[in-house]
Amino acid sequence: MTFSDLGLRAELLRAVEAQGYTTPTPIQHQAIPAVLKGGDLLASAQTGTGKTAGFTLPMLQRLADGPRPAARQIRALVLTPTRELAAQVGESVADYGRHLTLKSHVIFGGVGQQPQVDAIRKGLDVLVATPGRLLDLQQQKHVDLSKVEILVLDEADRMLDMGFIHDIKKILRVLPEKRQNLLFSATFSNEIQALANKLLDDPAMIEVARRNTTAELVDQAIYRVDREKKRDLLAHLITRHDWQQVLVFTRTKHGANRLAEQLSKQDIPSMAIHGNKSQSARTKALAAFKTGDLQVLVATDIAARGLDIEELPHVVNFELPNVAEDYVHRIGRTGRAGSEGKAVSLVCVDEHGLLKGIERLIKRDLEKRIEPGFEPDPDAKPEPIENGRGKRGGGGGRNGQGQRRQGQASGQRRGGDEARAPRRQRGGRGGSRQA
Ligand code: AMP
Protein backbone atom coordinates (compact mmCIF):
# COMPACT_ATOMS: atom_id res chain seq x y z
CA MET A 1 0.00 0.00 0.00
CA THR A 2 1.36 3.42 -0.99
CA PHE A 3 0.05 6.94 -0.51
CA SER A 4 -1.00 7.16 -4.16
CA ASP A 5 -3.25 4.10 -3.67
CA LEU A 6 -5.22 6.19 -1.17
CA GLY A 7 -6.46 8.60 -3.83
CA LEU A 8 -4.42 11.66 -2.90
CA ARG A 9 -3.66 14.26 -5.51
CA ALA A 10 -0.20 14.80 -6.98
CA GLU A 11 0.60 17.97 -5.00
CA LEU A 12 0.01 16.15 -1.75
CA LEU A 13 1.94 13.06 -2.84
CA ARG A 14 4.91 15.26 -3.65
CA ALA A 15 4.78 16.83 -0.22
CA VAL A 16 4.50 13.43 1.48
CA GLU A 17 7.45 12.19 -0.51
CA ALA A 18 9.48 15.21 0.56
CA GLN A 19 8.84 14.19 4.16
CA GLY A 20 10.39 10.82 3.34
CA TYR A 21 7.28 8.76 4.03
CA THR A 22 6.70 5.86 1.72
CA THR A 23 4.05 3.75 3.44
CA PRO A 24 0.92 5.05 5.15
CA THR A 25 0.62 4.16 8.81
CA PRO A 26 -2.50 2.15 9.82
CA ILE A 27 -4.41 5.27 10.86
CA GLN A 28 -3.54 7.01 7.59
CA HIS A 29 -4.51 3.94 5.62
CA GLN A 30 -7.96 4.00 7.19
CA ALA A 31 -8.59 7.68 7.81
CA ILE A 32 -7.53 9.16 4.47
CA PRO A 33 -10.13 7.36 2.29
CA ALA A 34 -12.81 7.82 4.98
CA VAL A 35 -12.25 11.59 5.18
CA LEU A 36 -12.04 11.93 1.39
CA LYS A 37 -15.54 10.45 1.17
CA GLY A 38 -16.78 13.47 3.08
CA GLY A 39 -18.46 11.84 6.07
CA ASP A 40 -17.80 12.28 9.77
CA LEU A 41 -15.07 10.32 11.51
CA LEU A 42 -14.45 9.06 15.00
CA ALA A 43 -10.87 7.89 15.37
CA SER A 44 -9.11 6.39 18.30
CA ALA A 45 -5.46 7.22 17.82
CA GLN A 46 -2.65 8.62 19.87
CA THR A 47 0.29 10.86 19.15
CA GLY A 48 2.96 8.91 17.32
CA THR A 49 0.56 6.96 15.11
CA GLY A 50 0.75 9.43 12.24
CA LYS A 51 -2.75 10.77 12.93
CA THR A 52 -1.85 14.34 12.00
CA ALA A 53 -1.18 13.41 8.38
CA GLY A 54 -4.22 11.12 8.66
CA PHE A 55 -6.53 14.11 8.87
CA THR A 56 -4.40 16.87 7.32
CA LEU A 57 -3.85 15.24 3.93
CA PRO A 58 -7.49 14.46 3.11
CA MET A 59 -8.61 17.76 4.64
CA LEU A 60 -6.31 19.70 2.31
CA GLN A 61 -7.43 17.61 -0.63
CA ARG A 62 -11.09 18.32 0.06
CA LEU A 63 -10.39 22.03 0.35
CA ALA A 64 -8.37 22.02 -2.86
CA ASP A 65 -11.04 19.99 -4.72
CA GLY A 66 -14.05 21.93 -3.48
CA PRO A 67 -15.42 25.12 -5.05
CA ARG A 68 -13.25 28.11 -4.16
CA PRO A 69 -15.11 31.06 -2.69
CA ALA A 70 -14.38 34.45 -4.29
CA ALA A 71 -12.64 35.69 -1.14
CA ARG A 72 -10.63 33.49 1.18
CA GLN A 73 -12.59 32.33 4.19
CA ILE A 74 -11.89 29.88 6.96
CA ARG A 75 -13.06 26.56 5.53
CA ALA A 76 -11.26 24.20 7.89
CA LEU A 77 -10.82 24.59 11.63
CA VAL A 78 -8.52 22.35 13.67
CA LEU A 79 -8.78 22.59 17.45
CA THR A 80 -5.99 21.24 19.65
CA PRO A 81 -5.56 21.23 23.43
CA THR A 82 -2.10 22.81 23.68
CA ARG A 83 -0.16 25.46 21.87
CA GLU A 84 2.69 23.05 21.20
CA LEU A 85 0.33 20.68 19.46
CA ALA A 86 -1.29 23.57 17.59
CA ALA A 87 2.14 24.66 16.36
CA GLN A 88 3.00 21.13 15.28
CA VAL A 89 -0.28 20.60 13.46
CA GLY A 90 0.18 24.01 11.84
CA GLU A 91 3.60 22.93 10.62
CA SER A 92 2.15 19.74 9.16
CA VAL A 93 -0.58 21.70 7.39
CA ALA A 94 2.07 24.01 5.91
CA ASP A 95 4.38 21.11 4.98
CA TYR A 96 1.75 18.93 3.33
CA GLY A 97 0.05 21.89 1.69
CA ARG A 98 3.20 23.47 0.30
CA HIS A 99 2.28 22.75 -3.35
CA LEU A 100 -1.31 23.95 -2.98
CA THR A 101 -2.44 27.55 -2.88
CA LEU A 102 -4.29 27.34 0.43
CA LYS A 103 -3.32 29.59 3.33
CA SER A 104 -3.15 28.52 6.95
CA HIS A 105 -2.40 30.09 10.28
CA VAL A 106 -1.93 28.95 13.87
CA ILE A 107 -3.31 30.82 16.87
CA PHE A 108 -2.85 30.06 20.53
CA GLY A 109 -2.53 31.80 23.85
CA GLY A 110 0.40 33.35 25.64
CA VAL A 111 1.39 35.98 23.08
CA GLY A 112 -0.13 39.14 21.68
CA GLN A 113 -3.27 38.80 19.62
CA GLN A 114 -2.70 41.58 17.07
CA PRO A 115 -0.52 39.55 14.66
CA GLN A 116 -3.18 36.84 14.75
CA VAL A 117 -5.94 39.34 14.05
CA ASP A 118 -3.92 40.72 11.14
CA ALA A 119 -3.34 37.26 9.69
CA ILE A 120 -7.01 36.37 9.94
CA ARG A 121 -8.00 39.64 8.30
CA LYS A 122 -5.75 38.93 5.32
CA GLY A 123 -7.71 35.75 4.63
CA LEU A 124 -7.17 32.11 5.53
CA ASP A 125 -8.41 28.74 4.36
CA VAL A 126 -7.24 26.72 7.36
CA LEU A 127 -7.11 27.85 10.98
CA VAL A 128 -5.40 25.76 13.65
CA ALA A 129 -6.20 26.98 17.15
CA THR A 130 -6.44 26.26 20.84
CA PRO A 131 -10.02 26.79 22.04
CA GLY A 132 -9.43 29.62 24.53
CA ARG A 133 -7.78 32.10 22.21
CA LEU A 134 -10.05 31.21 19.34
CA LEU A 135 -13.08 31.98 21.45
CA ASP A 136 -11.54 35.26 22.61
CA LEU A 137 -11.03 36.34 19.02
CA GLN A 138 -14.42 35.08 17.93
CA GLN A 139 -16.14 37.01 20.70
CA GLN A 140 -14.27 40.16 19.67
CA LYS A 141 -15.59 39.52 16.14
CA HIS A 142 -12.11 39.15 14.72
CA VAL A 143 -12.83 35.74 13.30
CA ASP A 144 -15.72 34.50 11.20
CA LEU A 145 -16.35 30.79 11.55
CA SER A 146 -19.62 30.74 9.65
CA LYS A 147 -18.09 29.20 6.51
CA VAL A 148 -16.26 26.29 8.13
CA GLU A 149 -16.70 23.12 6.08
CA ILE A 150 -14.43 20.80 8.07
CA LEU A 151 -13.94 20.73 11.83
CA VAL A 152 -11.19 18.64 13.42
CA LEU A 153 -11.01 18.06 17.16
CA ASP A 154 -7.52 16.72 17.77
CA GLU A 155 -6.78 14.99 21.08
CA ALA A 156 -10.35 15.63 22.14
CA ASP A 157 -9.93 13.68 25.37
CA ARG A 158 -7.13 15.99 26.41
CA MET A 159 -9.21 19.05 25.57
CA LEU A 160 -11.93 17.79 27.89
CA ASP A 161 -9.38 16.92 30.58
CA MET A 162 -8.12 20.47 30.40
CA GLY A 163 -11.58 21.89 30.92
CA PHE A 164 -12.19 23.15 27.40
CA ILE A 165 -15.63 21.62 26.97
CA HIS A 166 -17.48 24.90 27.50
CA ASP A 167 -15.26 26.74 25.07
CA ILE A 168 -15.74 23.97 22.53
CA LYS A 169 -19.51 24.10 22.91
CA LYS A 170 -19.49 27.84 22.36
CA ILE A 171 -17.37 27.43 19.26
CA LEU A 172 -19.70 24.71 17.91
CA ARG A 173 -22.61 27.13 18.19
CA VAL A 174 -21.06 29.56 15.73
CA LEU A 175 -20.16 26.95 13.12
CA PRO A 176 -22.51 26.18 10.24
CA GLU A 177 -24.78 23.17 10.81
CA LYS A 178 -23.67 21.39 7.71
CA ARG A 179 -20.02 20.44 7.91
CA GLN A 180 -17.67 17.49 8.13
CA ASN A 181 -16.54 16.61 11.67
CA LEU A 182 -13.44 14.62 12.54
CA LEU A 183 -12.86 13.67 16.15
CA PHE A 184 -9.56 12.18 17.30
CA SER A 185 -9.12 10.90 20.81
CA ALA A 186 -6.72 8.53 22.51
CA THR A 187 -9.29 7.33 25.03
CA PHE A 188 -13.05 6.92 25.00
CA SER A 189 -14.46 8.08 28.29
CA ASN A 190 -18.17 8.69 28.80
CA GLU A 191 -17.51 12.39 28.22
CA ILE A 192 -15.95 11.72 24.83
CA GLN A 193 -18.82 9.42 23.91
CA ALA A 194 -21.29 12.16 24.82
CA LEU A 195 -19.40 14.70 22.72
CA ALA A 196 -19.18 12.27 19.80
CA ASN A 197 -22.92 11.56 19.97
CA LYS A 198 -23.71 15.26 19.89
CA LEU A 199 -21.20 16.17 17.23
CA LEU A 200 -20.96 13.34 14.76
CA ASP A 201 -23.43 12.14 12.18
CA ASP A 202 -23.14 8.44 11.40
CA PRO A 203 -19.36 8.54 11.66
CA ALA A 204 -16.88 6.10 10.20
CA MET A 205 -15.13 4.52 13.18
CA ILE A 206 -11.43 3.85 13.20
CA GLU A 207 -9.42 2.29 15.92
CA VAL A 208 -5.73 1.70 15.55
CA ALA A 209 -3.72 -0.32 18.00
CA ARG A 210 -3.47 1.50 21.27
CA ARG A 211 -0.13 2.64 22.49
CA ASN A 212 -0.07 -0.12 25.02
CA THR A 213 0.16 -2.60 22.19
CA THR A 214 2.18 -0.51 19.73
CA ALA A 215 4.58 0.36 22.53
CA GLU A 216 5.98 -3.15 22.34
CA LEU A 217 9.08 -1.51 20.89
CA VAL A 218 9.62 0.25 24.18
CA ASP A 219 11.71 -1.54 26.75
CA GLN A 220 10.00 -0.74 30.04
CA ALA A 221 11.44 -1.19 33.51
CA ILE A 222 10.68 -0.17 37.06
CA TYR A 223 13.40 0.77 39.52
CA ARG A 224 12.25 0.37 43.09
CA VAL A 225 13.83 3.13 45.17
CA ASP A 226 13.18 5.25 48.23
CA ARG A 227 11.43 8.57 47.69
CA GLU A 228 14.42 10.61 48.87
CA LYS A 229 16.90 8.73 46.69
CA LYS A 230 15.12 9.17 43.37
CA ARG A 231 17.12 12.20 42.30
CA ASP A 232 20.48 10.56 43.01
CA LEU A 233 19.38 7.38 41.28
CA LEU A 234 18.31 9.36 38.22
CA ALA A 235 21.64 11.20 38.05
CA HIS A 236 23.43 7.88 38.53
CA LEU A 237 21.49 6.12 35.74
CA ILE A 238 22.00 9.01 33.32
CA THR A 239 25.72 9.16 33.99
CA ARG A 240 26.37 5.44 34.23
CA HIS A 241 24.53 4.56 31.03
CA ASP A 242 25.56 7.78 29.31
CA TRP A 243 22.00 8.63 28.34
CA GLN A 244 22.22 11.64 26.06
CA GLN A 245 18.63 12.69 25.47
CA VAL A 246 16.29 12.05 28.35
CA LEU A 247 12.71 13.24 28.78
CA VAL A 248 11.84 13.13 32.48
CA PHE A 249 8.28 13.39 33.76
CA THR A 250 7.35 14.87 37.09
CA ARG A 251 3.92 15.28 38.54
CA THR A 252 4.09 19.00 39.29
CA LYS A 253 5.56 22.15 37.82
CA HIS A 254 7.35 22.85 41.06
CA GLY A 255 8.83 19.36 41.04
CA ALA A 256 9.95 19.82 37.43
CA ASN A 257 11.75 23.09 38.26
CA ARG A 258 13.42 21.64 41.33
CA LEU A 259 14.61 18.52 39.57
CA ALA A 260 15.98 20.44 36.57
CA GLU A 261 17.90 22.74 38.90
CA GLN A 262 19.31 19.88 40.93
CA LEU A 263 20.41 17.86 37.91
CA SER A 264 22.05 20.94 36.40
CA LYS A 265 24.00 21.40 39.64
CA GLN A 266 25.24 17.84 39.18
CA ASP A 267 26.58 18.78 35.74
CA ILE A 268 23.71 17.22 33.84
CA PRO A 269 22.36 20.06 31.65
CA SER A 270 18.62 20.15 32.31
CA MET A 271 15.67 22.45 31.80
CA ALA A 272 12.05 22.29 32.87
CA ILE A 273 9.05 22.85 30.61
CA HIS A 274 5.55 23.39 31.90
CA GLY A 275 2.55 25.67 31.65
CA ASN A 276 4.05 28.45 33.79
CA LYS A 277 7.04 28.93 31.54
CA SER A 278 6.86 31.63 28.92
CA GLN A 279 6.40 30.51 25.35
CA SER A 280 9.91 31.61 24.44
CA ALA A 281 11.43 29.65 27.34
CA ARG A 282 9.52 26.55 26.27
CA THR A 283 10.48 26.91 22.64
CA LYS A 284 14.11 27.48 23.58
CA ALA A 285 14.24 24.45 25.85
CA LEU A 286 12.57 22.23 23.29
CA ALA A 287 14.86 23.40 20.48
CA ALA A 288 17.97 22.78 22.59
CA PHE A 289 16.67 19.35 23.54
CA LYS A 290 15.89 18.41 19.95
CA THR A 291 19.31 19.40 18.70
CA GLY A 292 20.98 17.48 21.50
CA ASP A 293 22.44 20.55 23.25
CA LEU A 294 20.27 19.91 26.27
CA GLN A 295 20.67 16.49 27.84
CA VAL A 296 17.56 16.42 30.02
CA LEU A 297 14.14 17.96 29.56
CA VAL A 298 11.94 17.74 32.65
CA ALA A 299 8.26 18.06 31.82
CA THR A 300 4.81 17.78 33.29
CA ASP A 301 2.24 15.71 31.42
CA ILE A 302 0.34 18.63 29.97
CA ALA A 303 3.48 20.39 28.74
CA ALA A 304 4.76 17.21 27.12
CA ARG A 305 1.53 16.29 25.45
CA GLY A 306 1.82 16.34 21.70
CA LEU A 307 5.51 17.25 21.61
CA ASP A 308 6.84 15.70 18.48
CA ILE A 309 10.29 14.58 19.43
CA GLU A 310 11.28 11.85 17.10
CA GLU A 311 13.19 8.75 18.06
CA LEU A 312 13.58 9.74 21.66
CA PRO A 313 15.78 7.11 23.26
CA HIS A 314 14.91 7.58 26.96
CA VAL A 315 11.85 8.46 28.93
CA VAL A 316 11.99 8.50 32.71
CA ASN A 317 8.98 8.63 34.97
CA PHE A 318 10.50 10.36 37.97
CA GLU A 319 7.08 9.95 39.50
CA LEU A 320 4.29 7.78 38.21
CA PRO A 321 1.29 9.71 36.86
CA ASN A 322 -1.94 9.77 38.84
CA VAL A 323 -3.87 8.70 35.77
CA ALA A 324 -2.76 5.32 34.44
CA GLU A 325 -3.38 6.31 30.80
CA ASP A 326 -0.83 9.09 31.12
CA TYR A 327 1.81 6.39 31.59
CA VAL A 328 0.96 5.09 28.15
CA HIS A 329 1.12 8.60 26.68
CA ARG A 330 4.44 9.25 28.37
CA ILE A 331 6.22 6.14 27.18
CA GLY A 332 4.73 6.72 23.73
CA ARG A 333 7.43 9.38 23.40
CA THR A 334 10.01 6.65 22.87
CA GLY A 335 10.23 4.03 20.18
CA ARG A 336 8.44 6.25 17.68
CA ALA A 337 8.59 5.67 13.95
CA GLY A 338 10.00 2.21 14.50
CA SER A 339 13.02 3.13 16.60
CA GLU A 340 13.58 1.38 19.90
CA GLY A 341 13.23 3.25 23.15
CA LYS A 342 13.66 2.72 26.84
CA ALA A 343 11.17 3.80 29.46
CA VAL A 344 12.27 3.73 33.07
CA SER A 345 10.06 4.49 36.07
CA LEU A 346 11.39 5.31 39.51
CA VAL A 347 8.84 3.93 41.94
CA CYS A 348 8.80 4.46 45.69
CA VAL A 349 6.58 2.87 48.30
CA ASP A 350 3.96 5.62 47.92
CA GLU A 351 3.32 4.63 44.33
CA HIS A 352 2.64 0.91 44.54
CA GLY A 353 -1.09 1.47 44.03
CA LEU A 354 -0.44 3.62 40.95
CA LEU A 355 1.90 0.97 39.56
CA LYS A 356 -0.77 -1.73 39.96
CA GLY A 357 -3.25 0.49 38.09
CA ILE A 358 -0.77 0.92 35.21
CA GLU A 359 -0.03 -2.80 35.00
CA ARG A 360 -3.76 -3.47 34.92
CA LEU A 361 -4.23 -1.01 32.09
CA ILE A 362 -1.37 -2.28 29.92
CA LYS A 363 -2.21 -5.86 30.84
CA ARG A 364 1.29 -6.88 31.75
CA ASP A 365 3.65 -6.95 34.71
CA LEU A 366 6.58 -4.61 34.33
CA GLU A 367 10.09 -5.77 35.07
CA LYS A 368 11.22 -4.61 38.55
CA ARG A 369 14.86 -3.74 39.13
CA ILE A 370 16.91 -2.61 42.09
CA GLU A 371 20.08 -0.65 41.37
CA PRO A 372 22.97 -1.64 43.67
CA GLY A 373 23.59 1.17 46.15
CA PHE A 374 19.95 2.34 45.88
CA GLU A 375 18.20 -0.55 47.61
CA PRO A 376 14.85 0.59 49.01
CA ASP A 377 14.21 0.40 52.73
CA PRO A 378 11.92 -2.64 53.18
CA ASP A 379 10.28 -0.97 56.21
CA ALA A 380 9.50 2.34 54.48
CA LYS A 381 5.92 3.52 55.06
CA PRO A 382 3.85 5.01 52.25
CA GLU A 383 3.03 8.72 52.44
CA PRO A 384 0.27 10.59 50.64
CA ILE A 385 1.22 11.73 47.17
CA GLU A 386 1.49 15.44 46.54
CA ASN A 387 -0.13 16.53 43.32
CA GLY A 388 0.44 20.22 43.62
CA ARG A 389 -3.00 21.16 44.88
CA GLY A 390 -2.67 19.67 48.32
CA LYS A 391 -2.14 16.12 49.33
CA ARG A 392 -4.02 13.05 48.54
CA GLY A 393 -3.54 9.34 49.01
CA GLY A 394 -1.64 7.46 46.34
CA GLY A 395 -4.29 5.15 45.02
CA GLY A 396 -4.27 2.94 41.96
CA GLY A 397 -4.96 3.98 38.39
CA ARG A 398 -8.67 3.70 38.94
CA ASN A 399 -8.44 5.96 41.89
CA GLY A 400 -6.56 8.46 39.78
CA GLN A 401 -9.24 8.42 37.10
CA GLY A 402 -11.99 8.74 39.66
CA GLN A 403 -10.31 11.84 40.95
CA ARG A 404 -10.13 13.27 37.46
CA ARG A 405 -13.81 12.75 36.80
CA GLN A 406 -14.72 14.42 40.05
CA GLY A 407 -12.56 17.37 39.10
CA GLN A 408 -14.34 17.69 35.78
CA ALA A 409 -17.77 17.44 37.29
CA SER A 410 -17.05 20.40 39.52
CA GLY A 411 -15.64 22.40 36.64
CA GLN A 412 -12.07 22.12 37.83
CA ARG A 413 -9.23 21.42 35.54
CA ARG A 414 -7.14 18.36 35.91
CA GLY A 415 -3.60 17.71 36.86
CA GLY A 416 -2.61 19.38 40.10
CA ASP A 417 -0.69 22.59 39.73
CA GLU A 418 -0.52 22.19 35.95
CA ALA A 419 -4.27 22.33 35.79
CA ARG A 420 -4.86 25.99 35.07
CA ALA A 421 -2.12 26.30 32.51
CA PRO A 422 -4.21 26.50 29.35
CA ARG A 423 -6.09 29.57 30.54
CA ARG A 424 -2.96 31.43 31.34
CA GLN A 425 -1.56 30.50 27.98
CA ARG A 426 -4.17 32.46 26.14
CA GLY A 427 -2.81 34.80 23.60
CA GLY A 428 -1.10 33.75 20.50
CA ARG A 429 1.11 34.11 17.57
CA GLY A 430 1.83 31.93 14.64
CA GLY A 431 2.60 32.76 11.09
CA SER A 432 0.45 32.76 8.03
CA ARG A 433 1.86 30.62 5.38
CA GLN A 434 0.95 28.75 2.35
CA ALA A 435 -0.92 25.81 3.82
P1 AMP B 1 1.66 12.05 14.73
O1 AMP B 1 1.01 10.84 15.35
O2 AMP B 1 0.80 12.68 13.72
O3 AMP B 1 2.13 13.01 15.80
O4 AMP B 1 2.96 11.56 13.94
C1 AMP B 1 4.01 10.92 14.60
C2 AMP B 1 5.30 10.94 13.82
O5 AMP B 1 5.28 10.02 12.73
C3 AMP B 1 5.66 12.27 13.25
O6 AMP B 1 7.02 12.49 13.54
C4 AMP B 1 5.47 12.13 11.77
O7 AMP B 1 6.37 12.96 11.08
C5 AMP B 1 5.76 10.66 11.54
N1 AMP B 1 4.99 10.06 10.44
C6 AMP B 1 3.73 10.38 10.06
N2 AMP B 1 3.33 9.62 9.02
C7 AMP B 1 4.36 8.79 8.73
C8 AMP B 1 4.56 7.75 7.74
N3 AMP B 1 3.61 7.40 6.88
N4 AMP B 1 5.74 7.12 7.76
C9 AMP B 1 6.70 7.44 8.64
N5 AMP B 1 6.58 8.41 9.59
C10 AMP B 1 5.43 9.08 9.64
Side-chain angles (χ1 to χ4, degrees):
M1 168 66 69
T2 63
F3 279 96
S4 54
D5 297 333
L6 297 176
L8 293 173
R9 52 195 287 162
E11 296 92 330
L12 293 169
L13 293 176
R14 266 167 69 206
V16 167
E17 203 177 317
Q19 297 288 316
Y21 308 152
T22 50
T23 317
T25 65
I27 186 89
Q28 291 162 359
H29 181 191
Q30 297 176 64
I32 292 171
V35 177
L36 287 178
K37 271 192 204 153
D40 285 358
L41 176 71
L42 177 60
S44 149
Q46 306 187 351
T47 302
T49 54
K51 68 182 166 65
T52 315
F55 64 77
T56 305
L57 290 168
M59 174 183 87
L60 292 173
Q61 174 139 335
R62 282 185 56 74
L63 296 178
D65 284 352
R68 282 287 169 94
R72 271 188 210 280
Q73 52 199 24
I74 297 168
R75 296 167 62 206
L77 173 65
V78 184
L79 294 180
T80 75
T82 63
R83 44 185 164 179
E84 279 83 5
L85 188 61
Q88 280 168 19
V89 170
E91 255 170 51
S92 293
V93 171
D95 283 343
Y96 298 131
R98 59 160 71 151
H99 302 301
L100 300 170
T101 53
L102 301 165
K103 273 184 97 179
S104 67
H105 193 79
V106 183
I107 64 171
F108 48 69
V111 283
Q113 74 169 41
Q114 197 51 44
Q116 303 177 340
V117 172
D118 294 343
I120 293 167
R121 195 171 295 139
K122 279 188 202 142
L124 295 173
D125 303 277
V126 181
L127 184 63
V128 182
T130 51
R133 173 54 65 102
L134 177 65
L135 196 60
D136 285 349
L137 293 184
Q138 194 277 329
Q139 286 171 344
Q140 296 169 55
K141 306 247 182 303
H142 289 307
V143 56
D144 175 9
L145 299 174
S146 68
K147 301 290 190 303
V148 168
E149 297 162 27
I150 304 175
L151 170 72
V152 182
L153 296 186
D154 192 14
E155 305 203 351
D157 49 348
R158 203 38 73 128
M159 283 199 271
L160 299 195
D161 283 354
M162 290 169 75
F164 282 134
I165 186 67
H166 298 296
D167 288 354
I168 291 172
K169 282 187 176 160
K170 284 184 195 154
I171 293 166
L172 291 178
R173 269 184 234 132
V174 299
L175 298 180
E177 287 260 307
K178 192 171 157 324
R179 55 171 201 267
Q180 182 177 21
N181 300 292
L182 317 177
L183 191 152
F184 287 76
S185 183
T187 55
F188 280 93
S189 60
N190 293 340
E191 291 91 343
I192 288 288
Q193 286 293 352
L195 181 66
N197 290 343
K198 183 172 165 337
L199 188 71
L200 305 176
D201 178 20
D202 191 20
M205 313 262 257
I206 292 179
E207 194 174 351
V208 294
R210 288 180 52 84
R211 263 286 165 199
N212 51 15
T213 50
T214 56
E216 293 303 308
L217 279 168
V218 181
D219 171 18
Q220 304 168 56
I222 302 295
Y223 281 88
R224 291 210 184 278
V225 61
D226 286 335
R227 189 185 311 115
E228 300 76 20
K229 297 220 185 104
K230 281 188 175 187
R231 178 167 48 91
D232 288 339
L233 174 59
L234 176 59
H236 165 85
L237 290 173
I238 291 173
T239 314
R240 194 182 129 202
H241 299 290
D242 195 23
W243 291 346
Q244 284 306 321
Q245 201 185 26
V246 195
L247 180 61
V248 180
F249 284 93
T250 61
R251 209 175 281 129
T252 67
K253 291 186 273 205
H254 181 58
N257 282 340
R258 207 171 34 200
L259 183 61
E261 268 168 36
Q262 289 164 337
L263 289 174
S264 297
K265 277 193 198 136
Q266 290 175 270
D267 288 331
I268 301 174
S270 309
M271 278 171 107
I273 137 169
H274 52 64
N276 274 7
K277 294 264 175 183
S278 71
Q279 182 58 29
S280 69
R282 289 157 69 150
T283 310
K284 212 172 119 206
L286 186 61
F289 186 62
K290 280 187 170 180
T291 56
D293 292 339
L294 182 68
Q295 195 173 358
V296 177
L297 191 65
V298 188
T300 54
D301 286 293
I302 289 179
R305 178 77 178 174
L307 293 184
D308 184 18
I309 308 166
E310 280 174 71
E311 304 186 8
L312 188 59
H314 301 286
V315 166
V316 176
N317 294 305
F318 189 74
E319 291 144 336
L320 289 180
N322 289 332
V323 178
E325 272 131 2
D326 284 343
Y327 175 83
V328 179
H329 290 305
R330 288 179 178 188
I331 69 160
R333 313 258 132 236
T334 66
R336 302 178 78 173
S339 62
E340 283 207 15
K342 280 197 181 12
V344 159
S345 303
L346 311 188
V347 176
C348 71
V349 65
D350 311 339
E351 300 171 298
H352 287 176
L354 294 176
L355 179 57
K356 285 217 179 73
I358 289 165
E359 291 182 327
R360 232 183 351 248
L361 177 76
I362 63 173
K363 299 194 176 65
R364 70 191 245 206
D365 286 335
L366 294 169
E367 183 198 331
K368 317 286 183 310
R369 295 181 194 162
I370 289 175
E371 184 71 5
F374 295 89
E375 294 81 1
D377 172 2
D379 300 321
K381 297 272 173 301
E383 285 185 10
I385 290 176
E386 199 174 349
N387 71 1
R389 190 188 282 167
K391 305 226 171 191
R392 71 171 198 85
R398 273 174 204 287
N399 191 1
Q401 289 176 30
Q403 171 112 354
R404 167 162 67 167
R405 298 236 159 78
Q406 273 172 17
Q408 285 169 349
S410 61
Q412 293 169 348
R413 290 161 210 281
R414 187 188 74 98
D417 68 354
E418 182 71 328
R420 276 153 282 123
R423 287 289 165 167
R424 267 190 248 115
Q425 290 166 11
R426 286 188 179 191
R429 187 176 42 88
S432 282
R433 31 190 166 187
Q434 290 300 105

